[in-house]
Amino acid sequence: MLAETTYQAVRDRQQREPDVVEPVLALLADPDHEGAVTDDMRRMAATLADQRETAAAETFLANALATSEVIDTVRSWNDRRTLASARRRRQLLGLAIGRETYHPDWQFTRSGLRHDLSAVIGPLLDAAAGDPVLADQIMRTPRPELDGRSLVDLLISRRTDEVLTLLAHYRDGYAT
């Protein structure tokens, strides 16, 4: 999802401005690149990073429940303080934006909180270096070794041990 969006953005920009994009791609392909890093390369890298972060945040919000929706879904959590406490205890993933906090929808079932969620959130946040948007991406991204399924798909299938095993192979959002 994210890789496809990023690839498309780079390809489109490369077609419009090959002199700007191709040196950046050469640097990415060969970190020991002997050529000079130009201001244009730095601007291009910053633009791509901004676009990637914006797309990730938009995806996160498009698939998240606001705190009030979580309270309606999880009847035993009847106020904002309860949710804030669950986030602090690493039992729930959420992202505060302004005065509202959003929670990825894969954490919930129709009847409430996913039963095995508390086992997953800590290792997931460790894998994502504490970044809730990156954590959501790790969970949602289709994985080739899972035949295109994601960790969310495994979680929904109650294959929590497999999710935890795969999360153990991450460091700061990158598979090791």
Side-chain angles (χ1 to χ4, degrees), residues 79-149:
D79 64 26
R80 293 176 180 279
R81 287 189 312 260
T82 304
L83 269 70
S85 177
R87 287 190 304 274
R88 277 193 308 278
R89 291 188 322 265
R90 296 167 54 112
Q91 295 176 328
L92 184 67
L93 180 64
L95 174 67
I97 299 177
R99 294 177 50 115
E100 185 60 80
T101 302
Y102 298 90
H103 307 84
D105 58 3
W106 52 261
Q107 299 178 103
F108 310 99
T109 66
R110 287 185 297 229
S111 59
L113 190 66
R114 189 165 300 287
H115 83 283
D116 48 1
L117 187 64
S118 62
V120 173
I121 296 299
L124 175 59
L125 284 169
D126 291 342
D131 181 344
V133 174
L134 180 55
D136 187 56
Q137 287 179 311
I138 289 170
M139 290 299 291
R140 290 185 191 278
T141 300
R143 299 174 60 107
E145 70 271 25
L146 298 175
D147 296 324
R149 290 175 295 145

Side-chain angles (χ1 to χ4, degrees), residues 146 149-159 163 166:
L146 298 175
R149 290 175 295 145
S150 67
L151 297 183
V152 169
D153 296 324
L154 291 181
L155 196 61
I156 289 169
S157 299
R158 296 181 178 253
R159 294 166 60 187
V163 171
L166 290 166

